[in-house]
Amino acid sequence: ILATGSYVYYLYWNMKETANKVTDKEQWKGSEKRSLNADLSKGDPVSILLMGVDQRESDAGRSDSLMMITLNPKTKSMVMFSIPRDSRTEIVGRGTIEKINHAYAYGGVKMQIQTVENFLNGVPIDYYVQVNMESFKEIVDAIGGVTVNNKIAFTSGKYDFPVGQVVLNGEKALSFTRMRKNDPRGDFGRTERQRLVVSAIIDQGAKAFNITKLTEVLKVIGNNVKTNLSFDEMDLLLSNYKDCRLNTQTFEVK
C-alpha cells in the first residue's frame, strides 16, 4: 500500500511539474473580449485556439495550422473548426492585410490570437495550446496511435492511405495531415484530416492511460507544448469538460 501510494504521488508530482513547465500565461492572460474570464469550475463555455507551429532555427516560424475548439459542458458539445493558413485578413498590431499565419511570425502567440479574434468578428479566445508540428508524431506515438476514417484514397510520402478506417502511428499521422497537393479540396482537405486526427487524440486522451503511456505522454508534452492553462485548469478541463467529446461538430472556415 505504501509503495503504491508513493508511486501515485510521484505521478501526480510529475504531472504537476510537466504542467508548470509548459504553462506560459504571460503570452496570453485572457481575452479582452470578455468582461469576466470563463470559470472552469462552474462549467462556463470556453474556447481554445490550437496552433500547430512550424518552427525553424533561422526564424520564429509560422502557425502552420490554426484550429478553434469550443467546449460547452452544459450541452456536452464540442465544436472544432479550422482556419486556413492562407486566409487573408488584417494582422492586428501591424494594420496590414496578409495571410493569417504571418501574425505568429510578427508577434508570437499574442498577435496570432488577437488576429484570429478579429478575423472571427470578436469571438473571444480563452486559452491557447501551441504544439511544435515536428513533435506531432511523437505525441501520437506516445498515446499508442490513433484510428481515423479516411474519405479519399491517396499516397503521401512512402505511405498509402485507403478509404475507410486507417490506423496511424506518429509518422503516418504526420504524413496523413500534411498532404494537400493531391487532394481535390486542397488545403480544405488537409485541414479536415487534421481535425480527424486531433479529434482522435482528444478521444484517446480522455480514456485512462496505463502508467507507461502516461509517463511517455508527459515527456513529449513537456518538450513540445506551450499553453496558458495551469495545472489546476487542466484538471478542471479533464474533470468537467470530458463529456464534450461525445457530441462533436467539425467544419472549416471558407
Side-chain angles (χ1 to χ4, degrees), residues 80-92:
M80 181 185 305
F81 62 91
S82 302
I83 302 171
R85 61 183 182 178
D86 293 339
S87 301
R88 295 188 67 81
T89 188
E90 179 188 351
I91 306 299
V92 174

Side-chain angles (χ1 to χ4, degrees), residues 28 31 34 38 40 44-50 68-71 79 81 117 123-128 228 241:
W28 189 248
S31 177
R34 290 191 189 278
L40 299 181
D44 289 344
V46 295
S47 59
I48 303 168
L49 181 64
L50 177 61
M68 274 282 284
I69 301 173
T70 62
L71 304 170
V79 176
F81 62 91
E117 284 188 330
V123 173
I125 295 174
D126 302 296
Y127 300 102
Y128 78 90
N228 64 332
Y241 293 73

Side-chain angles (χ1 to χ4, degrees), residues 164 201 222 247:
I201 290 173
N247 180 21

Side-chain angles (χ1 to χ4, degrees), residues 2 126 133 203 222:
L2 181 60
D126 302 296
M133 287 298 290
D203 189 56

Side-chain angles (χ1 to χ4, degrees), residues 8-20 214-216 218-219 231:
V8 169
Y9 175 78
Y10 164 76
L11 287 176
Y12 176 83
W13 176 85
N14 199 5
M15 285 188 289
K16 193 163 187 176
E17 283 294 299
T18 301
N20 291 337
L214 180 58
T215 303
E216 185 63 26
L218 290 174
K219 185 190 302 182
F231 176 77

Side-chain angles (χ1 to χ4, degrees), residues 197-234:
V197 173
V198 170
S199 294
I201 290 173
I202 291 172
D203 189 56
Q204 186 86 334
K207 301 173 184 176
F209 287 124
N210 62 39
I211 299 304
T212 302
K213 284 186 180 179
L214 180 58
T215 303
E216 185 63 26
V217 168
L218 290 174
K219 185 190 302 182
V220 173
I221 289 176
N223 294 330
N224 298 289
V225 174
K226 286 296 180 184
T227 180
N228 64 332
L229 284 160
S230 67
F231 176 77
D232 290 337
E233 288 167 332
M234 293 178 196

